[in-house]
Amino acid sequence: AFIKEVSGVRVLENQLKDKLKLDYVLIVPGDSDELDWVKQEMGKACVHYLNGVLHSGQTVAITGGSTMAAVAKMMKPLPEAEHCLFVPARGGLGERVENQANTICAEMANKARGEYRLLYVPDPLSEESYHIITEEPSVREVLDYIKSAEVVIHGIGEALTMAERRKTPQEQIEKIADGHAVGEAFGYYFDQQGEIVHKVRTVGLQLEDLSSSKHVIAVAGGKSKAQAIASYFKPGQSNVLITDEGAAQQLLRDT
Ligand code: BG6
């Protein structure tokens, strides 16, 4: 039964890879909407993958979220990647402290025996403060590390779930809902066609920075995120997806 299950997952991986036009897809059995340990399995798979692609002295930029927190929970010393630097991909996006990129970043770095630098920027950020803050030398330094990161690891969320979790102002929630956003990543909200409906103004990695020279790894699972994952990959910003069976089956069936 185990062999059957594993080969079933391998078939799903190939189907999803073709559908989303990705370089690599990894699916863990189960559905993280239903079972919490499935999220940890995705975390473990991500750490394993990271160990294979990251080299010593490189920089990793990460986002926040409970899935990324699971990656941090499973992080361990990476034999192939010593003295790496971990930085948050973007500034504040309105998350609770346990879901913030800064918190997760520090935990990952400590467990991987690497270093970290954090971003302290208030959110929401007005146009005016945005310009002043990015001129601060201490912020500049971290922003330079972020932009030069060789590896980016990020979560993907369901649009309205994320907007509400971040205590987004009502008029922005309406913009997100009226624009029929279904997915969210890096503070960008996408509709089914992958068009950007709304973007949270903050410093750090912008979508256009995800150039092909970087290794971009998305980690997101659960049946409820199928549409969100599909919307994010429409324009195709990342090359690797680590997900679960729940999301994969739903995505292949319904999107
Ligand atoms: C947030 C990221 O912190 O986590 C988002 O900034 C992402 O881009 C979200 O969509 C995912 O959260 P979770 O808890 O579903 O992993």
Side-chain angles (χ1 to χ4, degrees):
F2 177 72
I3 296 203
K4 200 168 157 216
E5 191 175 323
V6 168
S7 64
V9 163
R10 293 292 99 87
V11 171
L12 279 181
E13 283 174 349
N14 284 324
Q15 290 174 340
L16 209 53
K17 199 173 135 206
D18 287 347
K19 178 157 183 156
L20 302 177
K21 299 183 186 62
L22 295 173
D23 298 334
Y24 186 71
V25 172
L26 202 143
I27 300 175
V28 304
D31 184 337
S32 53
D33 281 350
E34 282 156 28
L35 298 164
D36 216 45
W37 57 262
V38 177
K39 209 176 254 185
Q40 289 176 36
E41 287 300 308
M42 285 193 284
K44 208 193 270 176
C46 179
V47 170
H48 183 79
Y49 185 82
L50 187 65
N51 191 40
V53 295
L54 191 65
H55 301 297
S56 294
Q58 288 190 329
T59 302
V60 186
I62 59 129
T63 69
S66 61
T67 313
M68 291 303 296
V71 176
K73 191 173 174 192
M74 305 316 282
M75 187 57 77
K76 52 181 195 197
L78 305 169
E80 306 300 326
E82 289 176 330
H83 317 295
C84 282
L85 178 68
F86 291 77
V87 289
R90 299 192 83 199
L93 294 169
E95 290 267 32
R96 296 153 61 102
V97 89
E98 60 272 34
N99 278 333
Q100 281 172 16
N102 269 350
T103 315
I104 294 168
C105 187
E107 186 183 342
M108 275 192 196
N110 287 335
K111 288 193 176 159
R113 302 210 184 108
E115 300 281 323
Y116 62 84
R117 294 278 192 294
L118 305 180
L119 262 180
Y120 297 102
V121 293
D123 65 302
L125 209 49
S126 70
E127 184 87 51
E128 202 189 353
S129 3
Y130 179 91
H131 290 294
I132 298 172
I133 279 180
T134 51
E135 292 309 313
E136 273 302 318
S138 63
V139 173
R140 263 263 71 87
E141 189 201 354
V142 184
L143 292 179
D144 289 341
Y145 285 126
I146 294 171
K147 303 260 166 166
S148 65
E150 286 89 357
V151 177
V152 178
I153 317 176
H154 69 94
I156 301 172
E158 197 270 314
L160 283 174
T161 307
M162 286 313 300
E164 271 152 31
R165 193 165 98 187
R166 287 173 170 153
K167 312 220 170 12
T168 308
Q170 193 53 35
E171 77 270 13
Q172 289 176 26
I173 297 223
E174 278 162 26
K175 185 180 164 201
I176 291 164
D178 292 347
H180 305 288
V182 292
E184 185 280 343
F186 299 102
Y188 289 76
Y189 292 82
F190 308 93
D191 67 11
Q192 258 185 11
Q193 282 69 47
E195 300 285 341
I196 298 167
V197 168
H198 175 68
K199 164 188 176 184
V200 181
R201 189 192 297 121
T202 188
V203 300
L205 210 71
Q206 310 299 314
L207 216 51
E208 55 271 21
D209 297 324
L210 298 178
S211 65
S212 48
S213 58
K214 286 194 169 77
H215 219 99
V216 188
I217 309 167
V219 194
K223 200 175 171 188
S224 62
K225 283 193 187 176
Q227 289 262 342
I229 297 170
S231 75
Y232 171 76
F233 282 109
K234 271 279 153 66
Q237 288 104 342
S238 306
N239 21 49
V240 177
L241 170 66
I242 298 175
T243 188
D244 62 21
E245 222 180 336
Q249 274 169 348
Q250 182 75 10
L251 213 155
L252 289 165
R253 196 183 310 135
D254 275 7
T255 65

